[in-house]
Amino acid sequence: MSKFLRDFKDFAMKGNVIDMAVGVIIGGAFGKIVTSLVNDIIMPGVGVLTGGANFREFKFVIQEGVTKGTEIVTPEVAITWGAFVQTIVDFLIIAFCIFLAIKVIYKFKRKEEEAPAAPAGPTQEELLTEIRDLLAKQNGTEK
């Protein structure tokens, strides 16, 4: 096996890479949930507040499309700024949720760090000395 492949295998099998992969997969699923929240719950509410407007339809048309009957000869060229606004709302919600999750993780981490450490047990030398003294006491050859 070449050094490159060996290095790649070592890199891929490290715990951090696997944790990151799990995070990416969960993040992708979470992103779909947030997108649905924005598209299906938040933006319709915003649409009601703005007079029934659908943000996805807000756009600046640069060039009108040309149609011949039902056939599109030249498609419309437009800047769909409403979809961009929805994407920004998605990002802000995801960023806020990640902020809250990290805040909770750090809170637990601080509590873990502040927890008193268990008292250290006797060292190996102390145990051996104690065993030696007990054996000497049993044999009647105390020091």
Side-chain angles (χ1 to χ4, degrees):
M1 183 183 282
S2 73
K3 181 174 175 14
F4 177 78
L5 290 176
R6 211 172 319 118
D7 289 346
F8 179 74
K9 178 185 166 205
D10 291 343
F11 168 77
M13 292 303 149
K14 285 185 180 177
N16 292 342
V17 174
I18 294 169
D19 292 344
M20 184 178 68
V22 170
V24 167
I25 292 167
I26 291 173
F30 183 70
K32 289 180 183 179
I33 292 170
V34 171
T35 299
S36 176
L37 172 71
V38 171
N39 292 342
D40 303 330
I41 296 173
I42 294 174
M43 294 314 268
V46 171
V48 168
L49 294 175
T50 59
N54 181 354
F55 262 74
R56 282 179 245 172
E57 296 175 3
F58 290 165
K59 59 187 171 184
F60 293 120
V61 178
I62 298 171
Q63 180 180 352
E64 292 288 335
V66 177
T67 59
K68 190 174 189 181
T70 58
E71 182 182 342
I72 298 174
V73 176
T74 307
E76 175 183 78
V77 178
I79 296 173
T80 54
W81 66 271
F84 181 68
V85 168
Q86 280 190 299
T87 303
I88 290 172
V89 172
D90 280 355
F91 169 76
L92 292 174
I93 291 172
I94 290 172
F96 182 70
C97 290
I98 290 172
F99 168 76
L100 290 178
I102 290 173
K103 196 168 175 81
V104 168
I105 288 169
Y106 281 153
K107 184 177 181 180
F108 285 126
K109 204 173 206 180
R110 265 188 258 122
K111 283 184 181 179
E112 191 176 280
E113 290 172 358
E114 293 171 0
T123 64
Q124 194 172 15
E125 288 79 17
E126 292 170 338
L127 287 174
L128 288 172
T129 304
E130 191 177 322
I131 292 170
R132 183 198 66 204
D133 293 345
L134 286 172
L135 288 173
K137 194 176 196 179
Q138 285 178 349
N139 293 333
T141 58
E142 277 187 61
K143 284 191 172 185

